[in-house]
Amino acid sequence: MRFLYMLTCLLLYNHSKAQHTGAKQQAMAGTSLTSFDVYAASNSIAASAFVKETKLGLFFSNSFLFPEINSLNLSITQAIKHGNFAYTINYFGFSHYNTSSIGFGYANQFGENLGLGLRFNYHRISIIEHGSKSAISFDLGLLYSFNEKVRLSISIRNPAKQQIGKDYKETLPTNFIIGASFHPNSKIDLAWQFEKDLQLPLRAILGINYRLHSIISLRTGISIHPLLLSGGLGLSIKKTQLDISSTWDTHLGYSPQISISYVISKKKQPE
């Protein structure tokens, strides 16, 4: 009975927030829309336009210390001469209930400041008593970098409100997200975000990243609806980035996360 209750809470919780991939982003409570890293492939397709390397990232998250329920993500940003490709694979759940998705996107810069992106996603939801259902959705993104200090981004996820299979009236979540970040100097990043699921209250998020040393960063964040506190640290060593974090939901408890990314190659500039 306790497990059924926790699973119900988990599904509601997972539905209540837009997807935030990467332990850095989780440590900052989910402020992910203006982050120029490999996990932009999953978080903000427009931000992928500003990534200057071909990167691979792996992300693992456990939900509220429940050993059976975990999230896995593989994100790849492929830097080409004109724009970037983005590839994502996601899994959440366990044998009796799980969701998975595969995404493919493209993003490009227009001038030095504007990035636009489009991502298509194939979703599959499996429930042991009811079999599997699938759906296809798409995301749109825009990011404008005013200068080296200020960025603004907008993301629209599943604007077509795709349904889960023909026999279900339930639709995939539709999210409208706006985020901004301020980088006053080389040590501090401030980010905030507002998210609106069509069926849920507005969610507000604030995150802070502080570079304690050239290879060490400390992070924290807070969000409301649901109320969530977070923190973590990052280690950057040559081509490898390692991040760990934990979030604390006031009702459901702790969720630890870890991610690692690696730079495969630098972007080739167009001739």
Side-chain angles (χ1 to χ4, degrees):
M1 194 69 182
R2 177 177 176 270
F3 182 80
L4 181 61
Y5 169 75
M6 286 297 297
L7 177 60
T8 302
C9 291
L10 264 174
L11 301 183
L12 291 172
Y13 178 84
N14 192 54
H15 178 77
S16 71
K17 58 188 181 65
Q19 176 184 337
H20 305 299
T21 300
K24 172 186 175 181
Q25 289 78 3
Q26 291 282 0
M28 299 173 67
T31 48
S32 60
L33 228 55
T34 61
S35 183
F36 297 168
D37 63 11
V38 63
Y39 300 108
S42 295
N43 296 318
S44 171
I45 187 60
S48 294
F50 294 85
V51 178
K52 302 301 182 184
E53 304 94 0
T54 294
K55 293 183 175 182
L56 181 148
L58 293 171
F59 171 66
F60 172 83
S61 174
N62 172 259
S63 297
F64 313 115
L65 303 179
F66 242 82
E68 298 91 348
I69 305 177
N70 303 297
S71 298
L72 297 169
N73 168 271
L74 170 67
S75 293
I76 300 173
T77 300
Q78 180 186 4
I80 58 177
K81 288 186 178 181
H82 300 283
N84 292 332
F85 289 118
Y87 314 91
T88 65
I89 300 175
N90 296 282
Y91 175 88
F92 167 81
F94 63 113
S95 58
H96 286 64
Y97 170 87
N98 60 78
T99 66
S100 58
S101 66
I102 298 173
F104 171 74
Y106 174 77
N108 198 5
Q109 278 186 250
F110 296 87
E112 294 295 322
N113 305 97
L114 179 64
L116 298 174
L118 170 66
R119 184 179 67 217
F120 291 95
N121 312 286
Y122 171 79
H123 306 267
R124 185 175 179 84
I125 300 174
S126 298
I127 304 175
I128 192 168
E129 293 88 355
H130 302 285
S132 300
K133 297 294 180 180
S134 60
I136 295 175
S137 70
F138 68 93
D139 305 340
L140 299 168
L142 177 153
L143 190 147
Y144 191 82
S145 180
F146 292 90
N147 48 50
E148 293 182 354
K149 294 185 177 182
V150 180
R151 303 171 188 170
L152 176 67
S153 185
I154 298 172
S155 179
I156 304 174
R157 302 181 183 181
N158 188 33
K161 297 192 286 187
Q162 290 295 107
Q163 289 189 337
I164 305 171
K166 296 181 180 180
D167 301 328
Y168 287 75
K169 294 183 179 180
E170 180 70 19
T171 62
L172 295 168
T174 296
N175 292 291
F176 297 89
I177 313 171
I178 182 168
S181 59
F182 178 52
H183 313 269
N185 54 52
S186 61
K187 288 185 174 294
I188 298 175
D189 302 319
L190 302 174
W192 53 96
Q193 205 159 292
F194 296 94
E195 304 173 355
K196 183 65 177 82
D197 185 303
L198 290 184
Q199 302 177 19
L200 297 167
L202 179 70
R203 185 175 188 228
I205 310 171
L206 174 65
I208 302 172
N209 179 66
Y210 177 73
R211 293 176 187 86
L212 185 65
H213 186 272
S214 59
I215 65 171
I216 302 175
S217 297
L218 302 178
R219 298 151 185 155
T220 188
I222 185 172
S223 74
I224 59 172
H225 298 305
L227 179 60
L228 180 145
L229 305 174
S230 63
L233 62 87
L235 300 174
S236 180
I237 304 173
K238 295 183 178 180
K239 294 183 177 182
T240 303
Q241 177 74 34
L242 175 67
D243 300 291
I244 59 174
S245 63
S246 182
T247 56
W248 179 64
D249 182 278
T250 54
H251 294 98
L252 300 176
Y254 290 96
S255 296
Q257 302 94 20
I258 185 170
S259 62
I260 185 169
S261 62
Y262 180 77
V263 175
I264 298 173
S265 63
K266 296 286 186 179
K267 187 182 183 75
K268 293 182 179 180
Q269 297 300 320
E271 299 177 357

